Amino acid sequence: MSLRARQRLQVRAEIQRAALTLFARDGFENVTTDQIASAAGVSASTYFRHVRNKEDLLLDPVRHGGAGIVALLEARPESEPADLAVSRAILERSSTLDSAEVEHWRAAFRTAPHLMDRVALIAPEHRDRLVELVAQRMQCDPETDSRPGLLVHLMLAAAEFGYRQWIRSPQKREASLPVCVEGALDAVLDTRWRTPNAQDPKGHHA
């Protein structure tokens, strides 16, 4: 990555941190772009070179998670059943996020929960790649067999439900993001997704 690209990422990160702090304190609707730019120490013109609108400052962390889930699934053991592999990739992604940054984001997002309806947990191209990877594990053709697509959609829907639970329940300290996501994902796990020779984590046939 070039120095210029790194500098752009740094400026964008500073703008986002400033915005999340203001959203959490004053409420999303009450914060102006001028206030965000001032808090980040940049001019209004610099702000608009890096940010299309303030909604993106809340939604982008969700949008960027898809590539991470795909990479984690690609790295899972080949012998792992499809449902377990997808579940653990999503959970690992949720568990490796910095807890302080996640709490900062949640406090900001709770001031504009309606925005969750405007973003998918994963971009279409990443969802399609997940279907492809799941089909490979299930040893089937996703064009003629609906199970890989159905499993991916159910897992992502469950993960989104877990995220929503977590956002709505800041008073429950035991309900961390990984706990909420794992509980939702567990509801989708089932031997119906597994090929006859698939093995569980202990090496036994499913």
Side-chain angles (χ1 to χ4, degrees), residues 16-22 24 99-109:
Q16 188 166 53
R17 280 193 294 270
L20 295 181
T21 297
L22 291 173
S99 59
E101 291 183 3
V102 165
E103 289 300 329
H104 194 197
W105 178 79
R106 174 165 67 169
F109 206 98

Side-chain angles (χ1 to χ4, degrees), residues 170-182:
Q171 70 278 9
K172 297 181 180 179
R173 295 189 177 277
E174 71 280 6
S176 65
L177 177 58
V179 168
C180 290
V181 172
E182 184 175 21

Side-chain angles (χ1 to χ4, degrees), residues 22 25 32 36 38 40-41 49 72 80 86 90 96 116 119 124 146 152 162 176 191 193:
L22 291 173
R25 188 189 70 189
T32 67
I36 296 171
S38 177
R49 281 200 300 270
L72 290 167
E80 199 169 48
V86 176
I90 294 174
T96 54
M116 182 63 83
V119 65
S146 63
V152 168
S176 65
T191 55
W193 309 113

Side-chain angles (χ1 to χ4, degrees), residues 39-60:
V42 300
S43 66
S45 59
T46 297
Y47 172 91
F48 284 110
R49 281 200 300 270
H50 291 82
V51 182
R52 292 183 307 168
N53 54 64
K54 68 177 186 177
E55 286 84 356
D56 284 349
L57 295 171
L58 270 182
L59 298 179
D60 279 355

